[in-house]
Amino acid sequence: MSATFATATAQPLADYYRWQSILYDATRWAFLFGRSRLITKVARMAQPQRILEIGCGTGTNLVRLALAFPKADIVGVDLSPHMLSIAQRKLQRFGQRVHLEQRAYEAPISGSEGYDLIVLSYALSMMNPGYEAVLAGCRDDLSGRGIIAVVDFHDSRWQGFRRWMGINHVRMERHLLTRLSEHFTAQRCEVHRAYAGLWRWMVFVGRVKREGTVKAASLDQA
């Protein structure tokens, strides 16, 4: 991720979650839809051995991932030490199989092997600026068979609601699906309504676009 993200976005988010961590698990169930559905969809497609979650928060998804993929080694990355302290308590039962790191996702971290699955759950919409650099990093961090799985806010037709979400660091302008589709070939792509259309949220599961794959698709269409 770019230095711009690290300076302009990382610290404000870390400060925001210092207080939000206290109420996070008690309140976010009413907003963060589709998290368990995302993992269920991935489990039907693959059995990843190395998993990374960027913006793992209090570890709710990490627990689901550890249960869904009992043979996988899992890394959770988050900016907030307060969120990670909650996650650590939830994940003790999994021992060393689940590892937590307090850091910004500033560059690929997988080494030569790559991750078979990278998960972003309601994280990309809060990375402004920086989400495009994160997606580029994910491309490099995925293994040859790797999958990216994203669930996040999509949009809202209500300007007042979008403004309120912006105060809470969330951007809802339909931009994420466009950028995801530029980097990855979709295996699953869905948009759902929340609260009778107050906002919409999306699910995207895809694989890295390969140059040869793009050319072959063009030839087929021709």
Side-chain angles (χ1 to χ4, degrees):
M1 190 174 302
S2 66
T4 301
F5 171 78
T7 56
T9 304
Q11 192 56 50
L13 285 180
D15 293 341
Y16 176 78
Y17 280 114
R18 179 179 182 181
W19 308 111
Q20 289 290 319
S21 62
I22 300 170
L23 299 174
Y24 191 88
D25 285 340
T27 59
R28 289 315 195 267
W29 61 269
F31 293 89
L32 308 186
F33 301 120
R35 292 183 292 176
S36 59
R37 178 186 302 200
L38 181 72
I39 294 169
T40 299
K41 289 183 181 297
V42 172
R44 292 171 181 165
M45 298 171 58
Q47 287 296 310
Q49 299 299 303
R50 300 187 74 224
I51 300 172
L52 170 67
E53 182 176 13
I54 300 168
C56 64
T58 60
T60 297
N61 270 345
L62 293 176
V63 171
R64 293 186 179 118
L65 288 165
L67 293 173
F69 307 110
K71 296 182 179 180
D73 292 321
I74 304 170
V75 176
V77 173
D78 200 275
L79 293 167
S80 170
H82 305 282
M83 301 284 272
L84 290 176
S85 67
I86 297 170
Q88 186 64 59
R89 295 194 292 271
K90 293 181 183 179
L91 297 164
Q92 286 178 351
R93 56 177 158 152
F94 301 110
Q96 297 302 309
R97 190 163 69 85
V98 183
H99 173 67
L100 299 175
E101 296 185 15
Q102 183 196 344
R103 60 182 297 169
Y105 183 73
E106 297 177 314
I109 62 175
S110 64
S112 58
E113 280 190 80
Y115 290 103
D116 303 318
L117 172 63
I118 296 178
V119 176
L120 292 118
S121 172
Y122 291 94
L124 280 174
S125 60
M126 302 189 76
M127 297 173 180
N128 303 295
Y131 70 92
E132 294 189 66
V134 170
L135 294 179
C138 289
R139 281 183 59 105
D140 293 335
D141 253 338
L142 283 170
S143 67
R145 62 181 181 277
I147 293 171
I148 187 170
V150 180
V151 59
D152 214 321
F153 296 108
H154 183 55
D155 65 6
S156 173
R157 58 180 176 156
W158 303 102
Q159 184 177 357
F161 182 74
R162 292 198 307 272
R163 186 181 302 114
W164 180 78
M165 292 297 283
I167 293 172
N168 288 278
H169 302 278
V170 175
R171 181 180 172 192
M172 304 177 68
E173 298 176 6
R174 306 185 187 183
H175 58 296
L176 294 179
L177 278 184
T178 299
R179 293 294 182 260
L180 283 162
S181 298
E182 290 175 359
H183 289 280
F184 306 97
T185 300
Q187 312 293 301
R188 300 284 189 279
C189 185
E190 304 171 1
V191 176
H192 301 271
R193 297 199 311 165
Y195 296 111
L198 179 59
W199 77 83
R200 296 195 299 171
W201 55 275
M202 63 86 175
V203 172
F204 182 96
V205 180
R207 300 182 189 273
V208 175
K209 281 188 174 179
R210 306 295 180 187
E211 190 67 25
T213 303
V214 173
K215 290 180 179 178
S218 298
L219 289 172
D220 289 342
Q221 290 173 1

